[in-house]
């Protein structure tokens, strides 16, 4: 192939050039380096003046005061440069090529004299965004001007870098290749595809006639109009390669002889992000795109040109430094037939990343969530690894439509959506009430269907209008009895207006979980927040509202899943995570431990089991009707009725512990439906949390969805989505 042969020839030429890398160009010194046996030293007045001029010149260059530096030059140097702006441009041009973020020059040692000439040794430390820090040693000549009776600096470009006066400074970039993203089973979620791109370097176009011929040829190759082609490079920097179009190798071979006639036209290999399964976990995997304007300066400070693609969302963004790597380069000086490498730093290639996501479970969660607005989070109970995370509306990574953007499909509702938690917060209220000694799991409350703890004028009702009658705190959690938790909230308020908020924070609310994704922190209100945010005092009604997960409180579905995981696994608060590899060795210590004695934790767990099992009080037992599964002798989950009667009696059952929640959305909007659960209740394997926006009660809508996802996890038949709707919390 002509293109491949040309690349081989170019590589061979590079080897020849590299053979000169260790050679040093011969430079004419600014004065004789060998002094006579008895050198004539200038008078002391001239010695101090020469040193002062050298020192003043270095100081002016470091301050980038080129007007001051220009006034210190001798007549011949000033005549060559014409003015201070030209001196500035020489320094700035070298710094631009070297991608220097900072330079600092200092004098080293004393001056050397020969008659009325002197030389100062300069050491300049360069800091380059692409090749790092390096030093250059150069010489500043000085001459005594009899007409002015003073010393002046004699300047050439060699003062910047030796050999620059007769040479060319060039930075050769080495790009990094972006790493791939894989699911837990090795399914590729994001990879790099190689493309051939034909492009133009505007500064290499000889003139209008050549440009027209170049445009005509590019138009033939790309089937694009000349004016469209020109628009792609017209406003780009002269030395930039401006891509015009991706082309097939066969097409390049066909036009190769014509392409090589144009120095400004070249074909380069480039990589483009490819999503083999664009509908699989798009919110988790994320997207790449061009560097946003507000981030451009930061990326250029790291050596990027500015036209690269970086991660903009999901894991692509959160792990961009790991997946994307970093560019490298070699700063070379070609002078007098020699090549000198001034500095180099190899590119850091992007690393492949493997996620914890299970493709089968992920697809099931997405399918079961469907087009309903909301989110699903599935964690592995053992370590809080994310097995599935779905958000709806969703999008395809290869076809992001205007409609998807308008509907907020790019928002990951699992980590960035913020909602009142509703009754899922009652586990926190129960823990606070027991922990602060204002109630016990067995205390019996009376629920007539309403609560007048702050007087009849401030009456609050239970979701069950007829009331639950006499009911204990633990069963009150099972029944999600508002009256019980209003009363616990009032008692906590009497102890301290801050105490319930403090417990909420211990359960992980009001702070980001630390997952490798963009996420919201939510909001835990307290008296200080209300005073600062609203200019109002905190009241007992605020605490009572908070006790049932209403009011100002905001949480993310991931935070609710994290809380549920902590309750399920004995009170250990672990950070949810998505990147399985490469992964730092996890600490043996959990992120935190819930402030729950074993008895309190057990009472909460029993209350959650009752939610799906207690035929009288459980808010979702009607949604788990027929969910009757057992573990057989091999540990497989099977319908209990298929087991022999004798085995069935002693078999371990698959029991789900959960909590429903119905969070008021304000105004006439339908409430948010919550259900969070773990299973099996006796030895938790998975945590499932579902949130559906503006749809209705948690038991009616979110609980069946969680049941279906648990069924999918265990490979069971998926129960149909129920059609009946019942106000059951």
């Amino acid at each position: 192939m002509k293109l491949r042969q040309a690349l081989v020839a170019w590589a061979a030429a590079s080897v020849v050039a590299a053979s000169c890398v260790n050679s040093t160009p011969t430079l004419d010194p600014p004065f004789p380096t060998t002094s006579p046996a008895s050198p004539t030293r200038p008078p002391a007045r001239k010695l101090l003046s020469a040193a002062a001029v050298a020192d003043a010149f270095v100081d002016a260059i470091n301050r980038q005061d080129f007007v001051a530096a220009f006034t210190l030059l001798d007549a011949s140097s000033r005549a060559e440069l014409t003015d201070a702006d030209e001196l500035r441009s020489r320094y700035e041009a070298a710094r631009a090529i070297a991608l220097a973020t900072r330079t600092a020059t200092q004098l080293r040692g004393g001056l050397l004299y020969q008659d009325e000439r002197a030389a100062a040794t300069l050491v300049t430390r360069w800091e380059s965004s692409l090749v790092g820090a390096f030093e250059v040693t150069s010489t500043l000549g000085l001459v005594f001007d009899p007409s002015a009776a003073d010393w002046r600096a004699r300047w050439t470009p060699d003062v910047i870098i030796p050999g620059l006066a007769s040479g060319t400074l060039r930075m050769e970039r080495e790009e990094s290749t972006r790493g791939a993203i894989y699911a837990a089973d090795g399914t590729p979620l994001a990879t790099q595809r190689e493309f051939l791109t034909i492009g133009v370097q505007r500064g290499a176009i000889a003139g209008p006639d050549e440009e027209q011929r170049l445009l005509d040829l590019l138009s033939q190759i790309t089937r694009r109009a000349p004016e469209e082609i020109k628009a792609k490079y017209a406003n780009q920097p002269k030395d930039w390669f401006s891509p015009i179009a991706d082309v097939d190798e066969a097409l390049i071979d066909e036009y190769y002889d014509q392409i090589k006639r144009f120095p400004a036209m070249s074909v380069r290999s480039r990589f483009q992000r490819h999503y083999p399964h664009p509908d699989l976990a798009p919110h988790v995997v994320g997207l790449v795109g061009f560097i946003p304007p507000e981030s451009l300066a930061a990326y250029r400070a790291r050596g990027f040109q500015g036209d690269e693609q970086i991660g903009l969302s999901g894991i692509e963004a959160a792990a961009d430094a790991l997946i994307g790597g970093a560019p490298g380069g070699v700063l070379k000086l070609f002078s007098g037939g020699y090549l000198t490498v001034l500095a180099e730093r190899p590119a850091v290639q992007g690393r492949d990343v493997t996620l914890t996501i299970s493709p089968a479970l992920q697809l099931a969660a997405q399918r079961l969530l469907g087009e309903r607005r909301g989110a699903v989070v599935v964690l592995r109970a053992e370590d809080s690894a994310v097995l599935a995370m779905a958000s709806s509306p969703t999008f395809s990574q290869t076809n992001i439509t205007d409609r998807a953007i308008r509907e907020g499909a790019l928002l990951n509702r699992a980590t960035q959506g913020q909602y009142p938690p509703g009754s899922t917060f009652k586990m926190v209220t129960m823990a606070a009430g027991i922990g602060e000694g204002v109630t016990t799991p067995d205390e019996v409350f009376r629920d007539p269907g309403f609560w007048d703890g702050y007087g009849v004028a401030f009456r609050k009702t239970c979701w069950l209008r007829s009331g639950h009658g006499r009911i204990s705190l633990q069963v009150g959690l099972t029944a999600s009895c508002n009256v019980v938790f209003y009363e616990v909230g009032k008692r906590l308020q009497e102890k301290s207006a801050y105490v319930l908020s403090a417990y909420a924070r211990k359960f992980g609310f009001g702070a980001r979980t630390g997952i490798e994704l963009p996420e919201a922190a939510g909001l835990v209100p307290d008296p200080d927040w209300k005073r600062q945010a609203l200019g109002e005092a905190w009241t007992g009604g605020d605490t009572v509202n908070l006790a049932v997960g209403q009011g100002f409180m905001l949480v993310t579905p991931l935070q609710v899943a994290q809380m549920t995981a902590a309750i399920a696994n004995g009170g250990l608060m672990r950070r949810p995570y998505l990147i399985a590899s490469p992964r730092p060795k996890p600490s043996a210590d959990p992120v935190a431990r819930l402030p729950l004695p074993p008895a309190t934790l057990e009472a909460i767990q029993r209350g959650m089991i009752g939610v799906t099992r207690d035929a009288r009080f459980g808010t979702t037992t009607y949604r788990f009707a027929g969910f009757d599964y057992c573990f057989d002798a091999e540990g497989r989950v099977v319908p209990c009725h298929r087991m022999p009667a004798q085995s069935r009696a002693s078999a371990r059952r698959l029991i789900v512990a959960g909590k429903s929640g119905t969070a008021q959305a304000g105004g006439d909007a339908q409430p948010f439906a919550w259900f969070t659960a773990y299973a099996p209740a006796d030895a938790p394997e998975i945590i499932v949390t579902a949130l559906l926006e503006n749809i209705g009660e948690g038991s009616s809508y979110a609980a069946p969805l969680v049941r279906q996802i648990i069924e999918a996890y265990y490979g069971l038949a998926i129960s149909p989505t129920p059609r009946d709707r019942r106000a059951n919390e």
Side-chain angles (χ1 to χ4, degrees), residues 23 105 156 202 211 234 304 473 579 585 599 612 649 686 691 704 706:
S23 302
T105 302
T156 73
R202 183 169 68 89
E211 183 174 29
F304 289 79
L473 177 65
I579 298 179
K585 185 177 181 181
T612 67
I686 62 164
L691 175 282
V706 170

Side-chain angles (χ1 to χ4, degrees), residues 289-305:
F290 290 106
I291 300 171
E294 64 272 15
S295 304
L296 195 55
Y299 273 90
R300 282 183 171 159
R302 293 170 50 196
F304 289 79
Q305 279 191 151

Side-chain angles (χ1 to χ4, degrees), residues 198-234 240-244 255 258-267:
I198 192 165
V200 174
Q201 184 180 337
R202 183 169 68 89
I205 300 175
D209 292 341
E210 180 175 303
E211 183 174 29
Q212 188 57 56
R213 293 194 303 273
L214 178 147
L215 288 170
D216 290 342
L217 178 58
L218 275 173
S219 184
Q220 291 180 46
I221 296 172
T222 65
R223 300 293 188 265
R224 298 184 182 185
E227 56 271 19
E228 180 186 351
I229 295 169
K230 186 172 182 178
K232 288 182 174 290
Y233 67 78
W240 274 29
F241 172 81
S242 301
I244 303 300
Y255 286 95
Q258 298 177 64
I259 292 172
K260 69 180 183 181
R261 297 172 188 167
F262 294 94
M265 192 190 313
S266 60
V267 178

Side-chain angles (χ1 to χ4, degrees), residues 514-546:
I515 196 171
E516 311 95 318
L517 287 178
E519 62 175 328
L523 172 64
V524 174
D526 61 19
D528 295 338
W529 171 85
K530 190 177 181 185
R531 188 183 309 110
Q532 295 170 6
L534 304 179
E536 299 175 1
W538 187 268
T539 68
D542 291 321
T543 301
V544 167
N545 278 340
L546 180 59

Side-chain angles (χ1 to χ4, degrees), residues 309-325:
Q309 290 199 332
I310 63 167
L312 297 181
S313 67
I315 289 294
E316 293 274 33
D320 187 61
L322 179 67
I323 300 171

Side-chain angles (χ1 to χ4, degrees), residues 374-417:
V376 169
V377 177
V378 184
L379 304 180
R380 187 165 57 206
E382 175 187 4
D383 58 359
S384 290
V386 178
L387 302 180
M389 180 180 285
S391 179
S392 177
T394 188
F395 64 94
S396 171
Q397 291 157 312
T398 57
N399 184 27
I400 300 176
T401 63
D402 291 339
R403 177 184 175 186
I405 295 173
R406 286 195 308 271
E407 293 181 347
L410 300 185
L411 178 74
N412 185 354
R413 284 165 165 76
T415 63
Q416 296 171 296

Side-chain angles (χ1 to χ4, degrees), residues 338-601:
Y338 292 89
L339 166 63
T340 302
V341 174
L342 298 173
E344 61 182 316
R345 184 169 65 188
V348 177
Q349 299 304 320
R351 298 187 64 181
D352 294 345
V353 164
T354 299
L355 305 183
T356 57
I357 292 292
S358 164
L361 189 60
Q362 176 69 34
L363 288 173
Q366 292 178 198
R367 178 177 57 81
L368 293 167
L369 177 59
E371 296 185 359
R372 293 175 291 183
R373 299 176 74 91
V376 169
V377 177
V378 184
L379 304 180
R380 187 165 57 206
E382 175 187 4
D383 58 359
S384 290
V386 178
L387 302 180
M389 180 180 285
S391 179
S392 177
T394 188
F395 64 94
S396 171
Q397 291 157 312
T398 57
N399 184 27
I400 300 176
T401 63
D402 291 339
R403 177 184 175 186
I405 295 173
R406 286 195 308 271
E407 293 181 347
L410 300 185
L411 178 74
N412 185 354
R413 284 165 165 76
T415 63
Q416 296 171 296
Q418 301 180 86
Y419 312 90
S423 294
T424 61
F425 189 73
K426 288 174 180 174
M427 280 92 80
V428 178
T429 305
M430 182 172 174
I434 298 171
E436 295 302 307
V438 302
T439 186
T440 65
D442 297 326
E443 181 183 358
V444 176
F445 297 78
R446 179 176 176 273
D447 171 23
F450 59 86
W451 180 80
D452 291 340
Y454 285 130
V456 176
F458 299 97
R459 171 171 288 183
K460 290 181 174 294
T461 61
C462 187
W463 68 265
L464 184 62
R465 299 299 182 180
S466 61
H468 291 94
R470 290 174 56 80
I471 189 169
S472 70
L473 177 65
Q474 178 181 303
V475 178
L477 181 66
T478 294
S480 200
C481 177
N482 288 344
V483 168
V484 169
F485 288 90
Y486 289 147
E487 179 61 28
V488 174
K490 178 176 179 290
R491 295 177 188 179
L492 290 170
Q493 167 72 16
E494 291 168 352
K495 187 156 189 177
S496 169
Y498 291 89
V499 69
L500 186 53
S501 300
Y503 269 82
R505 295 187 181 96
K506 291 176 181 178
F507 275 77
F509 296 114
R512 295 176 178 86
T513 67
I515 196 171
E516 311 95 318
L517 287 178
E519 62 175 328
L523 172 64
V524 174
D526 61 19
D528 295 338
W529 171 85
K530 190 177 181 185
R531 188 183 309 110
Q532 295 170 6
L534 304 179
E536 299 175 1
W538 187 268
T539 68
D542 291 321
T543 301
V544 167
N545 278 340
L546 180 59
V548 295
Q550 295 291 166
F552 306 110
M553 179 90 172
L554 293 174
V555 303
T556 69
L558 181 63
Q559 288 173 330
V560 173
Q562 182 185 43
M563 171 195 70
T564 307
I567 293 171
N569 64 28
L572 300 182
M573 285 279 292
R574 292 190 173 93
R575 177 178 68 84
Y577 71 95
L578 274 159
I579 298 179
S581 174
R583 179 170 172 77
K585 185 177 181 181
S587 170
D589 298 323
V591 173
R593 182 178 287 276
L594 293 179
L596 304 180
T600 301
L601 185 63

